Amino acid sequence: MGQEIVPVEEVVQSVSDLPVQDPAGEEFSAADLTWVKYASSQHHTEDVALIPYERMEAFITGECNNPECPTRFHIERGRKREMGSLREYKSDEYLLYRMYWCSFGPENYGEGGTILPSRKYRLNTRNRAARPQSMRGCTCHFTIKRLYARPSLVLIIYHERRHVNKSGFVCHGPLDKDAIGPGARRVPYIGSEIQQQTMSLIYLGVPEENILQTHIEGIQRYCSSDAKVDSLATQYVQKLGMIIKRSTHELDLDDQASIKMWVDRNKKSVFFYQDSTDTDAFILGIQTDWQLQQMMRFGHQSLLASHSSFGVSKLKYPLHTLLVFDSRQHALPVAWIITRSVTKQDTMKWMRALTDRVHSIDPTWKIGGFIVDDPASELDPIRDVFACPILFSLWHIRRTWLKNVIKKCSNSEVQREIFVQLGKVIYSIWSEKNPMNALEQLLQDFVDQTTFIKYFKSYWVPKLEMWIDTIRNLALASQESCGAIEGYHLKLKAKAYDDLQLDALQRVDWLVHKLTTEIHSGYWLNLYADESGSFPEVKAEYIVSTSWQRALQIPNDAVFFDGKEPLSAKVASQKDASQMRTVWNAGSEFSLCDCSWSMQGNLCKHVIKVNMMCGRQKDFQPSLSFQSFQHILLDLWQKPLDDSFSLDLSVAWVMQMQERIQKAVELATSDGIAQVAGKLPIQWTSKRGRRAAAKRTNPVVLPHSNGSLQKDLTPKKSRKRKRMSTFQG
């Protein structure tokens, strides 16, 4: 804006030494003036310029028409004196004093903003922003002094020429990605749902014509459609698309500084942040408002799952994801934690911060169980913070073993035999056999497979005992939840590693940008399409996004068991009935299919469908999760001392667990919750209680024990005097 760096020795000490400037044109701005450093009588050094008094309005108009940040300036403060009121005065004394402030400030009604504490009175809003909601804490302001000694001249003192907030970010105008732009009062209502829907479609690469049509249909729910509304909607979509295309993850060349700037901008989406120091590890916890809502909605009295250590070898810091399971049991990310630290202390920090955020909204929120997928995970923070049972998922070990068996063994028959033997190692945990004996048998039988054996000995043998102890001591998650977590892993991997800038993988700001834009928008649109019925193609793709859901679409008569080979089955293709897929080691989590999806190390629909069919037959062994569950029940049913109190307590726990399981199975197998609710007995309260509950009472806000405010809805007795219609003599 024409700002020049003036050496210290050129600081002007008197207004009399300033040149008078009068730029040509009907209006002019700060860019047309030469600014000089001036040491005022208050001992402050400011940028000043001297112009004729009659050109003051031309300067203010020019500043308002700044193309980078169009705005209006309002009078924030003003004073004036009468001529002759001062006997002695300095060269910069004022006859008229006015402080002009950009109308997008100084208050900040935006996200994370605060209103000035001095605002205890109603300001004159004639020259202020169109709406209070438009104020974004802009710090741009200048002062105009009509000089007492020279009334024909005006001294302009520019305190802050940039239209930025206190954090130094552009807060309005075309350069601001969140700017509402001029003419905000005439823009049709755009709720957060419509805005998120439009952003999601842009991130997913939907053509602009389709995005515009969907955007206009959303606006029509709130206002009638006409040419003006359509034109404004077109401008909005084009501007939003331009902002998204121009957005970059690099807010600063230094990655650490860039992350600090992002955290400062997005405080509402950060639930925990700890910068890297000599004593503290880097931790960044991200959770948007939408993710918080889904965590409270699907996580209450349900399962929370951990997808840990994503990108250990490729990313600068590994990514840890917390997942909930939606109404279709699909894994939904509700929090992202970027850190390399897995210590108990650091894990406790971000877990506590996350639950405190949820409990600030709903103190009764509580999960039913927590699924982990890494035996090295610290379990004490989970027990202390969430106070729930912990389950273990086998998706990671199964996928890793299968991928390396296929990669390091070229013979398909050898691949099947090795994978079956690996499954025996895990299945022997709950039998009388020693898992290490099955491991030794594996190493002896396939000693000729040098590539795989070398990999297995160096990578898995040192830590296999830790995995076996974890599997033995924790309940195992089902194959459906394993498939859902694996589905999230595959989607995350496809989105994160499709970037052409491979060097960006070592930047944290790139990962944050990818998570909060493309990945977040994709999951938002999937859930929105599924629940609202919009975007049928997106909904259909989302429904079958997990192998479990795809397996449910295979009919039972498409599965054939071979009597000669009882541990193998064939599944007919739904697209081509003549094509058959073979599943070996049927009925086991370590089954292997010859389809392309399974050959990539994934859990395919054919394996799941065959295991569903095997679960109903007695010839096949129970699943690993069922064996684990059975082992826990037997341990719980261990008879203590005869006729002791411990026996009564054990029986009570088993009966309580049985009732809960029956209710869960009944709800899962029913057509809907209405069918289950219809069987519940009707519970009547007292007549007086029903009437009291129906009365509307004025809620009283009481302090809660945890520091939050709680409304007291207890009906209060009316103290009004009753009117007497008759008098007794």
Side-chain angles (χ1 to χ4, degrees):
M1 297 180 60
Q3 187 174 1
E4 298 179 0
I5 300 177
V6 181
V8 178
E9 61 270 11
E10 294 187 12
V11 175
V12 177
Q13 302 293 332
S14 174
V15 176
S16 303
D17 299 333
L18 295 175
V20 179
Q21 304 180 57
D22 188 5
E26 296 183 1
E27 60 184 49
F28 61 96
S29 65
D32 302 317
L33 297 174
T34 301
W35 296 91
V36 181
K37 291 291 182 181
Y38 168 67
S40 64
S41 57
Q42 289 81 17
H43 306 288
H44 297 302
T45 302
E46 307 279 1
D47 290 340
V48 299
L50 201 62
I51 65 171
Y53 173 69
E54 61 268 12
R55 301 299 309 278
M56 181 179 70
E57 293 297 332
F59 171 76
I60 297 174
T61 303
E63 283 297 283
C64 293
N65 295 332
N66 182 356
E68 293 183 358
C69 296
T71 182
R72 285 177 292 176
F73 283 87
H74 65 272
I75 301 174
E76 180 73 12
R77 199 177 302 149
R79 295 187 295 270
K80 63 181 178 179
R81 293 191 178 108
E82 297 293 335
M83 182 63 72
S85 59
L86 297 178
R87 293 183 180 180
E88 296 181 0
Y89 50 86
K90 300 178 181 179
S91 61
D92 60 350
E93 293 288 355
Y94 65 86
L95 188 63
L96 175 67
Y97 172 91
R98 286 180 181 175
M99 177 181 285
Y100 286 87
W101 206 294
C102 173
S103 289
F104 287 90
E107 294 98 329
N108 187 359
Y109 287 81
E111 186 174 297
T114 56
I115 305 173
L116 293 182
S118 60
R119 290 283 184 255
K120 298 181 180 179
Y121 54 88
R122 184 180 182 275
L123 289 174
N124 179 12
T125 58
R126 179 184 60 182
N127 294 325
R128 295 178 69 78
R131 298 183 296 180
Q133 293 83 353
S134 304
M135 303 180 72
R136 293 293 180 264
C138 184
T139 59
C140 179
H141 65 290
F142 59 87
T143 298
I144 284 182
K145 286 185 178 182
R146 187 179 183 185
L147 298 178
Y148 189 90
R150 305 161 71 183
S152 61
L153 298 180
V154 165
L155 178 67
I156 305 175
I157 307 174
Y158 229 127
H159 305 286
E160 177 58 69
R161 271 185 271 176
R162 301 173 302 161
H163 290 266
V164 297
N165 55 23
K166 291 183 178 180
S167 301
F169 300 121
V170 177
C171 52
H172 64 92
L175 300 180
D176 176 27
K177 67 175 185 177
D178 299 322
I180 59 173
R185 287 177 292 182
R186 300 187 297 273
V187 175
Y189 175 78
I190 301 175
S192 58
E193 182 180 285
I194 302 177
Q195 184 180 16
Q196 183 63 57
Q197 172 184 287
T198 306
M199 291 176 58
S200 300
L201 294 174
I202 294 174
Y203 279 122
L204 295 177
V206 178
E208 185 175 320
E209 297 78 11
N210 300 344
I211 298 175
L212 179 59
Q213 180 182 357
T214 306
H215 184 75
I216 294 177
E217 291 174 355
I219 292 177
Q220 289 176 357
R221 298 201 300 262
Y222 302 97
C223 63
S224 58
S225 178
D226 54 30
K228 190 172 185 180
V229 170
D230 295 349
S231 175
L232 292 171
T234 304
Q235 296 176 16
Y236 177 84
V237 172
Q238 291 176 349
K239 177 187 174 184
L240 193 61
M242 180 180 63
I243 291 173
I244 290 176
K245 291 178 181 178
R246 291 190 306 180
S247 63
T248 176
H249 61 275
E250 289 188 1
L251 302 179
D252 192 277
L253 294 178
D254 180 61
D255 187 36
Q256 189 175 7
S258 180
I259 282 296
K260 289 181 179 179
M261 295 175 66
W262 186 91
V263 170
D264 196 33
R265 281 189 185 182
N266 301 272
K267 292 181 179 179
K268 206 171 181 180
S269 299
V270 177
F271 69 87
F272 185 81
Y273 175 64
Q274 177 178 282
D275 200 3
S276 177
T277 62
D278 295 337
T279 57
D280 297 328
F282 175 84
I283 305 175
L284 176 59
I286 303 173
Q287 185 184 58
T288 65
D289 285 340
W290 177 78
Q291 288 178 309
L292 175 61
Q293 295 170 10
Q294 308 315 313
M295 182 175 179
M296 297 178 63
R297 176 186 175 191
F298 294 115
H300 183 57
Q301 297 298 338
S302 187
L303 295 175
L304 200 65
S306 168
H307 176 268
S308 60
S309 304
F310 175 81
V312 175
S313 59
K314 293 184 178 181
L315 300 179
K316 183 177 181 179
Y317 293 106
L319 174 65
H320 188 123
T321 308
L322 290 186
L323 306 166
V324 294
F325 301 94
D326 62 10
S327 55
R328 296 188 184 276
Q329 311 308 327
H330 290 178
L332 200 66
V334 292
W336 289 299
I337 302 92
I338 304 174
T339 182
R340 194 174 294 279
S341 174
V342 293
T343 63
K344 184 184 302 184
Q345 182 181 4
D346 288 336
T347 305
M348 180 73 77
K349 287 179 182 179
W350 64 259
M351 281 191 177
R352 184 71 68 186
L354 183 63
T355 52
D356 288 347
R357 188 184 194 198
V358 177
H359 289 156
S360 65
I361 302 175
D362 183 8
T364 64
W365 184 87
K366 181 180 176 62
I367 65 174
F370 196 101
I371 302 177
V372 297
D373 61 355
D374 187 356
S377 301
E378 288 289 347
L379 303 183
D380 289 341
I382 301 174
R383 294 190 177 102
D384 295 342
V385 175
F386 294 100
C388 67
I390 302 177
L391 292 79
F392 188 76
S393 176
L394 293 174
W395 80 270
H396 182 72
I397 190 173
R398 182 196 182 278
R399 174 180 171 80
T400 306
W401 282 358
L402 180 56
K403 283 183 62 178
N404 283 278
V405 166
I406 296 174
K407 180 180 179 181
K408 301 181 186 304
C409 301
S410 57
N411 189 291
S412 59
E413 186 175 353
V414 174
Q415 294 172 357
R416 296 195 298 267
E417 293 178 358
I418 292 179
F419 197 59
V420 170
Q421 188 64 29
L422 288 172
K424 291 180 180 180
V425 175
I426 303 299
Y427 269 90
S428 61
I429 294 177
W430 292 280
S431 65
E432 298 178 355
K433 301 178 182 179
N434 188 352
M436 292 304 169
N437 295 335
L439 177 61
E440 292 178 3
Q441 189 68 35
L442 169 70
L443 300 178
Q444 292 177 6
D445 293 344
F446 301 99
V447 66
D448 57 332
Q449 301 295 322
T450 55
T451 306
F452 175 78
I453 295 300
K454 181 179 179 181
Y455 153 78
F456 196 82
K457 283 184 176 181
S458 61
Y459 188 82
W460 281 102
V461 171
K463 57 183 179 180
L464 189 60
E465 191 170 342
M466 177 183 65
W467 281 82
I468 292 175
D469 290 341
T470 304
I471 295 171
R472 180 185 289 116
N473 297 326
L474 295 180
L476 293 185
S478 66
Q479 203 167 23
E480 182 177 7
S481 61
C482 291
I485 299 174
E486 184 181 87
Y488 168 77
H489 172 82
L490 295 173
K491 186 177 295 186
L492 178 64
K493 185 178 180 181
K495 288 287 185 180
Y497 296 152
D498 68 343
D499 205 307
L500 298 178
Q501 301 176 347
L502 297 179
D503 56 337
L505 296 176
Q506 291 300 313
R507 290 187 64 98
V508 182
D509 54 3
W510 169 86
L511 178 60
V512 171
H513 182 76
K514 180 72 72 171
L515 292 173
T516 55
T517 54
E518 293 184 35
I519 297 176
H520 181 277
S521 298
Y523 276 98
W524 184 95
L525 187 64
N526 287 338
L527 192 62
Y528 177 76
D530 184 33
E531 296 180 344
S532 66
S534 307
F535 311 106
E537 296 180 358
V538 177
K539 179 178 180 179
E541 184 178 352
Y542 175 65
I543 291 175
V544 297
S545 60
T546 63
S547 297
W548 185 274
Q549 292 292 334
R550 292 193 291 269
L552 293 177
Q553 297 183 354
I554 301 177
N556 293 341
D557 54 8
V559 180
F560 305 95
F561 291 94
D562 191 352
K564 298 180 181 179
E565 296 183 13
L567 294 182
S568 67
K570 293 186 179 297
V571 183
S573 173
Q574 301 302 298
K575 297 180 180 179
D576 185 4
S578 61
Q579 188 177 15
M580 304 291 289
R581 296 298 182 188
T582 305
V583 177
W584 291 276
N585 199 21
S588 168
E589 275 84 344
F590 290 83
S591 302
L592 181 62
C593 180
D594 60 355
C595 68
S596 59
W597 187 249
S598 181
M599 288 292 104
Q600 297 176 23
N602 304 314
L603 181 62
C604 70
K605 61 182 179 180
H606 309 105
V607 169
I608 295 178
K609 183 61 181 180
V610 170
N611 289 348
M612 288 179 181
M613 301 289 292
C614 294
R616 305 170 186 174
Q617 302 181 23
K618 298 181 180 180
D619 298 336
F620 296 92
Q621 59 181 342
S623 64
L624 286 173
S625 58
F626 182 82
Q627 292 187 35
S628 171
F629 175 65
Q630 189 178 33
H631 180 71
I632 293 174
L633 288 180
L634 291 175
D635 287 347
L636 189 63
W637 192 254
Q638 292 293 331
K639 183 180 179 181
L641 297 177
D642 291 340
D643 294 331
S644 65
F645 177 77
S646 299
L647 176 62
D648 298 335
L649 189 59
S650 298
V651 172
W653 283 345
V654 172
M655 295 300 296
Q656 184 183 23
M657 185 181 297
Q658 182 185 14
E659 291 177 1
R660 290 189 176 184
I661 293 173
Q662 287 178 348
K663 292 178 181 178
V665 172
E666 184 180 3
L667 181 60
T669 56
S670 63
D671 295 334
I673 194 172
Q675 183 179 353
V676 179
K679 300 179 182 179
L680 297 178
I682 299 177
Q683 296 182 357
W684 294 99
T685 59
S686 63
K687 184 177 181 181
R688 182 178 180 181
R690 295 199 307 271
R691 289 184 176 179
K695 291 181 180 179
R696 304 186 68 178
T697 59
N698 295 325
V700 179
V701 179
L702 299 175
H704 197 262
S705 60
N706 60 4
S708 61
L709 295 180
Q710 188 177 18
K711 292 183 178 180
D712 183 13
L713 300 178
T714 307
K716 305 298 181 183
K717 184 177 180 180
S718 176
R719 301 184 63 183
K720 278 189 175 182
R721 291 184 178 181
K722 296 183 179 179
R723 182 176 298 176
M724 303 294 291
S725 58
T726 58
F727 295 89
Q728 295 180 358

